[in-house]
Structures are given as structure tokens and as C-alpha cells.
DNA sequence: CCCTATAAATGGAACGTTCCAATAAATCAA
DNA sequence: TTGATTTATTGGAACGTTCCATTTATAGGG
């Protein structure tokens, strides 16, 4: 049970009465080896409890079969789903994805990226932590390692990005609210250090402008991208002189918080105040009332990112095109018409 | 931008005008090197864009600084939280945890374990996939690699386990329901191929027996451990001649499903039918009504598992004690008294 | 029986580190 | 001055693979 010296291909060779080269070939499934010999070797491998040493192999072979995925928040089911989508693709390509979680901490992110590189990964898929500095990926680019960003984009960077069409999603959601007769709209949650925030807010603003909502009838409240943040946003909004009657939320978590806060005040989400979420996580459909949300197909984006990465590795390039995923407004029960205005059109 | 040959310590040595040994010592932060020399070397390292090759190093150094965590379902926030707890501990110990997701697939699990071992991890923390065969970890044990299980236990295995006190949790929850006056109780969800299932069901049964509930007044419905499973369980139960008035659910997801299904039938969870969950995921407190659930402190268990692992690595042993984590019944709004029986005691 | 072609197996150098033993330089006690 | 001690640096073997260039065995053609 003690840690006996590990078996190597030399031990196998001795056991099987062949040379180490032969063992190596068997391990690689070469057809240069006579089947009976291969069998003998495989038996020896089993007998000595051999564990392949990929580190030693990579010393000669240049590139490994593992890619690293660095995720900013694993407890957000949205990212977890994306990770699962990627795994599906990588698995069938014989690539092993190792996941690491930065918990939105750029320092931690730096450490993990370093570690992954030292480990000799073949590529990196990263959903950058909030507050990542633009230079954080210079070393990786210098090393010529394939890398793609998912979900989030960095201000000035040539690294390919796989992300949903945030602008359009926000536009659609906002138009939906306006179509329901709402005239005073809010955008809740998120903070301006995220590019995603500007994309979604931009869609919101453009839709308002295009559909005749004056800027002074819109309200933007920054806040944490969590239930707690949503609660805070709603409190702020309802404290205003002329509060909004509907809100587009930065993401579903914020929307859940808003609905919770409404209930706590005796208001019914949907009927008394319309709310739209973003991301369409699984829970959205199970809430009471079910949440209208912008579906971004996180698993699909994960798959896409994985495919792009495989292509990059295969073609030994470090460049790839951005991919902006289609979004889809899923209408449920959280957006009634504006009650105060004389009945808007009921869709 | 093309993949130039990677820089090695020899390149650094040449650049800095020292020997490779000196560079190696600098990399390890040895105090045998004159500070000025170290500075010179560090500059060279920066200049050539050097990336440390841990695979090569491990060839001599025996043990690495990475440990693998193999999780059965990353999209379950419960496991994600546990993973995050572990990460906290490992980070401060300078150990890098790589996470891999089996998605409850034993074959996938086997592949991942193999890969992790080949990568030369220092230890393994595993939450086994459903249907894992007892022999799946023989190779790992043979290799003398430290391994601990979390949350789930395998039928006959000497591998240390870090898990919540499922039996007691179920007992407490059941006693709570009985205390509320319920006399016909159900256990919903889960399947008997999981040891956890037997532990929780066992607690349920013992509490019933100890507190005077006849076996024929209890109902056990197996089912998926998901919302969907919960919905199905409730349908089955309400179709019976004398349906139960309360249920302990295998986990929170099942409980959510049960509440959903109750609503769909026009019944109010808590008032018309009492339901208790298990795990106490974050959403439990945000549901309507807030779910009474057995809190298992997943992050804490994760931390504990990480500590045990560190200890094992440090003391070069492959043995450790099991750790059964305390549980805590969190009473919220999903369990009113039995209405049909003449008012039980109101807690 | 020799020559060539094919199949099967092998030895050895190389990969990028670590670490031991050895060297070189500087300091000190006598 | 000499030898001993300390400080700073270095060469070289070793780690477990891969893969090229060889060798050995087997078969086929004349």
C-alpha cells in the first residue's frame, strides 16, 4: 500500500520480454507490432499497474490532449451549462477539458492561466473575470497558444470571442415591454466595467429611442448581478418620484431579485410591474410567475467555442472569427401591460 | 505570431550569461543565488517569454501541485458550491485544483480519472457518478494515489468519505413533519442504486417507526432527482386511495417539482401539503413559499474534503478517517400542520 | 542459394527540468 | 602564507517518454 516506485515502460518491457520501444508502440496502438506481441505487452501493463506518464511524453511530442477552460463563476448555472456544452464536443474529439474557476478574481485568474500553461495545455477557453486587465493575456498570445473568449469580451483585444448577441437581445426585450404599453422603463443591474453591460444597455437605449421613449422616461440602475442586486435596484427605482412600470434586467438572477422585492411590497410581478430577464436559465420557467427572458443558448455557445478551439488547434493558428450567437426572446408570464396607461395592446 | 520554438531554461541561461542550474535555482526562489544574479535571470526570463514546463520538472520532482476533482454533475448548484469550497482551501495551500465533470456517466468518469492520473496529479477528490462499479478505483488505489470521496459513498470501499449525515437529516425532517401533526407521510425521489438514497430513506423510516407512524401509512416513490422527478412523484402519490399529507423529498430539486405540481393542481404548498427538501440550495430560501430543507453545508464539506486531501498528501498516506458533516433543519414556510387531522401542535 | 522486399523489433539520442557533487571565489583564523 | 570555511555558481546524470535509424527475422523471386 506504500507508494512503491512507479512502473515505467522499462518495467513493462522487462516483464513482457521486449524492448521499451515495442512497449511505446503498443501504447500508441501502432500496427507495426505483431498482435500476439501486443497482447503480451498489454498483459504486462495490466500486471504491473502501469500509469502512462503524459508529462514525459509531452517532452517529445510537443502537444498534449488537454485544454483548459477558465470560468469566472461556476456557481452561476449559466456558466455551468456552457461548460457542459463544451465538454460534449471535446469528449468526442478525444480532448480532455480541465475546468478552473476564477470566482471573478483577476489575480486568481492569472495564477490559473499560468498553471494551465505550465501544464502544457493545447489551448485555452476563457470567460474572463471582471476587472481583467488588457495585458493579462499577452503572455499567452506571445506563446502562440490558441485562446478564445466566451461570453465576455475585453475592451481592446484581438482574441476571438464567442458570445450571444447581447445588443439584439436587449433590443427585443425592450421592444416587447414597449409593445405592452409601458412608457417608463428601467434597466436594472450590472456594472459598467463589463463590456456585456454596455452591449445590453445599448440595445435597451436604442430600442427606447427608436420606439419613441424619451430619455428622461428611462432609468438605469447599476447593481450586483445577483438576486440581492435586483432587490436593491427595485428599491431604488420605486423610491423615485415617477417610478418605472417595467424593467429589463441585466440577467435572470437580477430579475428574480426584482420579483422577490415586488412580492415583499405586496406587488405582483407581471401584473403590477413587468420584468424581463436575460440568459433564460432553467429556473426562469419554473418561477412564479414564469419569467420572460432572453434565451442565449449557453450550451450551444459552449459547443461553438469548443469547435472553434479544435479548429484552431488543428490548423495551428491563433486566429479565428468572432461568433455572435442568435438570441431568442422567450415570452412567459412576467410582463403584463402597463396598468396605469389606458390599456395598451394586449399581445 | 507563428509557434516559434519554446524557450527553455537553457535559452534563459544563455541570455543571462549564467548556467542552467542557476536559472533553475532562481525559478525555485532559492536563497543560494546572489540577488543581483537573480535579478539578471528574472529579466532574461521576461525577455524570452519563458513558460515553465511542469511536465519536465515532475519527471524529477516526483510530485506535482495539482489535484483533480471529479464531479458527477456540475450543473447542480449543490456540487458547484462544494467545488468552490474546496478551491478556497487549495488556493491558500498553493495547490491548483482542476475540475472535471462526469455528468453521471461512469464511462466518462473512467476516462477522466485515467487522464488525471496520466497528468500526474497529486491527489483525487471524487464525487462518484451513479452506477460506478466497485472496481473503478482499484487502479488508483494500486498506484498509491490519495483519493477521497465526497457526498457519495460506494457500497464496499475503504476509500475515505466526506459526506453529510444523511440519516440524521432525514430523521430530523421526518420528525418535524410528524410534529406538525402529519400521519401519512411520503418519501419522494431518488433511486436505490445510490447509497445516499438508502441513508436518507433509512432516516425517514426510523423516524416514522420511532414516532408511531405505521408502515402502511408511509409511501415511498422512487424517481428522478430533478424537478421533473418531483412532479411525477406527486402525481403518483395523489392518485392513491389515501394520499399522504406531507413528503420528505430526496433533494431540493425534487421538492421544487412537488411544489410546482401542487400549484398546478390548485393546491398550496405548505398549507394543503407539507414538503421538506434536502441540501438547502440557495434557491430554497427564495422560493414561494420558502422551502423548509435540511442544510448540509456543501461549501463546508468541500473545505473539509480539501483539508483531508492536503493532509493525506503531506503525510504520504492513502488512508484517512471518514467525516460525517453535521446537518441542520432549516424551517421555513413549506410545512403547515395537517389540516385534515384536528389541529396538531403549531411549532 | 543469393538478393531484395517486407515485417517486426530494437538501441540510443533527445526533450526540459532537478539536484548532487564539484568547482571557483571570497573570507577568515592562525 | 596556508588551510579551512563559507558563499556562489556550475556540469552532468537522471527522470520516462518518442522516434529515427538500425538490426534481425521472414518471405518471395529469380
Amino acid at each position: 500500500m506504500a507508494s512503491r516506485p512507479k512502473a515505467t515502460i522499462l518495467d513493462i518491457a522487462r516483464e513482457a520480454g521486449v524492448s521499451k520501444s515495442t512497449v511505446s508502440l503498443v501504447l500508441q496502438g501502432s500496427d507495426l507490432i505483431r498482435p500476439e506481441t501486443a497482447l503480451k505487452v498489454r498483459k504486462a501493463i495490466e500486471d504491473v499497474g502501469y500509469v502512462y506518464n503524459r508529462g514525459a511524453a509531452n517532452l517529445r511530442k510537443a502537444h498534449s490532449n488537454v485544454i483548459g477552460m477558465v470560468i469566472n463563476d461556476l456557481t452561476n448555472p449559466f456558466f455551468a451549462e456552457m461548460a457542459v456544452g463544451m465538454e460534449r464536443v471535446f469528449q468526442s474529439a478525444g480532448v480532455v477539458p480541465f475546468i478552473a474557476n476564477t470566482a471573478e478574481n483577476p489575480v486568481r485568474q492569472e495564477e490559473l492561466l499560468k498553471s494551465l500553461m505550465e501544464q502544457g495545455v493545447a489551448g485555452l477557453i476563457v470567460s474572463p473575470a471582471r476587472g481583467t486587465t488588457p495585458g493579462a493575456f499577452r503572455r499567452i498570445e506571445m506563446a502562440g497558444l490558441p485562446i478564445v473568449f466566451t461570453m465576455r469580451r475585453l475592451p481592446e483585444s484581438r482574441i476571438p470571442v464567442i458570445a450571444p448577441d447581447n445588443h439584439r437581445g436587449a433590443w427585443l426585450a425592450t421592444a416587447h415591454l414597449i409593445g405592452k404599453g409601458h412608457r417608463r422603463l428601467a434597466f436594472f443591474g450590472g456594472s459598467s466595467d463589463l463590456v456585456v453591460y454596455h452591449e445590453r444597455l445599448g440595445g435597451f437605449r436604442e430600442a427606447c429611442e427608436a420606439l419613441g421613449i424619451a430619455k428622461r422616461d428611462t432609468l438605469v440602475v447599476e447593481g450586483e448581478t445577483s438576486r440581492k442586486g435586483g432587490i436593491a435596484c427595485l428599491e431604488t427605482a420605486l423610491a423615485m418620484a415617477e417610478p418605472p412600470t417595467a424593467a429589463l434586467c441585466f440577467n435572470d438572477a437580477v430579475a428574480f431579485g426584482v420579483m422577490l422585492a415586488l412580492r415583499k411590497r405586496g406587488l405582483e410581478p407581471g401584473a403590477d410591474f413587468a420584468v424581463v430577464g436575460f440568459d433564460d436559465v432553467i429556473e426562469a420557467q419554473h418561477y412564479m410567475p414564469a419569467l420572460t427572458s432572453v434565451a442565449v443558448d449557453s450550451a450551444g455557445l459552449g459547443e461553438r467555442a469548443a469547435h472553434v478551439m479544435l479548429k484552431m488547434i488543428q490548423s495551428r493558428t491563433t486566429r479565428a472569427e468572432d461568433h455572435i450567437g442568435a438570441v431568442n426572446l422567450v415570452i412567459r408570464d412576467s410582463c403584463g401591460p402597463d396598468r396605469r396607461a389606458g390599456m395598451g395592446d394586449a399581445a
Side-chain angles (χ1 to χ4, degrees), chain A:
Chain A
M1 194 65 72
S3 56
R4 92 192 75 168
K6 289 202 194 132
T8 78
I9 53 170
L10 282 156
D11 299 311
I12 298 171
R14 198 176 319 113
E15 182 83 7
V18 298
S19 78
K20 63 179 174 28
S21 305
T22 304
V23 177
S24 176
L25 288 173
V26 171
L27 283 173
Q28 294 168 78
S30 163
D31 55 356
L32 286 177
I33 303 296
R34 204 151 39 114
E36 319 146 45
T37 311
L39 214 68
K40 204 169 50 179
V41 170
R42 262 188 273 274
K43 173 162 176 0
I45 289 177
E46 205 57 47
D47 287 349
V48 302
Y50 171 72
V51 176
Y52 183 73
N53 184 334
R54 208 167 278 276
N58 286 344
L59 220 43
R60 298 249 348 166
K61 261 202 317 194
H63 262 335
S64 69
N65 69 143
V66 357
I67 80 106
M69 2 196 316
V70 178
I71 301 290
N72 59 299
D73 181 10
L74 211 51
T75 62
N76 185 336
F78 173 68
F79 288 105
E81 278 173 52
M82 183 187 73
V84 170
M86 291 187 194
E87 287 192 310
R88 252 198 304 276
V89 175
F90 283 131
Q91 178 172 14
S92 52
V95 170
V96 182
F98 287 154
I99 305 171
N101 179 38
T102 62
E104 296 288 14
N105 178 348
V107 178
R108 176 75 175 145
Q109 176 174 266
E110 201 99 23
E111 292 171 4
L112 289 172
L113 288 172
K114 182 153 165 274
S115 223
L116 253 356
M117 288 188 75
E118 293 180 354
Q119 227 48 240
V121 297
L124 246 13
I125 296 184
V126 182
S127 169
R130 177 171 310 179
T132 299
T133 63
F137 298 93
R138 227 204 21 245
R139 305 196 55 134
I140 295 170
E141 293 182 275
M142 270 178 52
L145 196 63
I147 170 169
V148 342
F149 285 157
T150 52
M151 300 303 165
R152 294 174 173 184
R153 160 195 314 275
L154 244 49
E156 35 195 72
S157 153
R158 288 301 308 140
I159 294 173
V161 180
I162 314 295
D165 193 340
N166 291 307
H167 187 93
R168 183 172 153 77
W171 208 101
L172 287 174
T174 309
H176 175 66
L177 288 172
I178 295 172
K180 286 282 186 182
H182 294 278
R183 289 295 172 263
R184 285 199 311 284
L185 307 182
F187 186 91
F188 282 168
S191 57
S192 57
D193 58 348
L194 242 43
V195 175
V196 180
Y197 177 77
H198 295 288
E199 295 172 350
R200 294 186 181 176
L201 182 56
F204 172 77
R205 285 219 163 106
E206 276 189 30
C208 284
E209 189 167 354
L211 299 173
I213 304 295
K215 184 140 191 187
R216 69 186 141 70
D217 286 334
T218 67
L219 172 67
V220 175
V221 187
E222 286 196 25
E224 277 183 44
T225 59
S226 61
R227 272 175 247 253
K228 197 152 63 127
I231 294 172
C233 285
L234 187 85
E235 301 297 346
T236 307
L238 292 192
M240 319 270 329
E242 293 215 307
T245 64
L248 169 58
C249 299
F250 178 77
N251 68 13
D252 286 348
V254 171
F256 294 147
V258 169
M259 294 206 282
L260 240 34
L262 284 168
R263 277 258 172 67
K264 219 167 270 169
R265 286 184 161 243
L267 298 173
E268 182 59 21
D272 300 318
F273 190 102
V275 14
V276 188
F278 214 111
D279 290 352
D280 193 33
V281 300
I282 336 95
E283 285 108 328
Q285 56 189 292
H286 293 303
Y287 248 72
M288 297 291 292
L291 178 67
T292 292
S293 187
V294 179
V296 302
D297 185 21
S298 46
L301 287 172
E303 288 177 21
R304 185 47 162 248
H307 276 125
V308 170
M309 173 53 64
L310 288 175
K311 191 86 50 142
M312 287 172 87
I313 292 176
Q314 205 169 10
S315 58
R316 308 187 140 32
T317 175
T318 174
R319 303 199 103 85
E321 303 234 315
D322 287 4
H323 175 82
I324 305 302
V327 295
N328 180 23
L329 180 66
V330 180
I331 298 172
R332 299 204 182 86
D333 314 323
S334 65
C335 305
D338 182 7
R339 288 184 154 185
R340 274 157 278 194
M343 285 289 106
D345 56 356

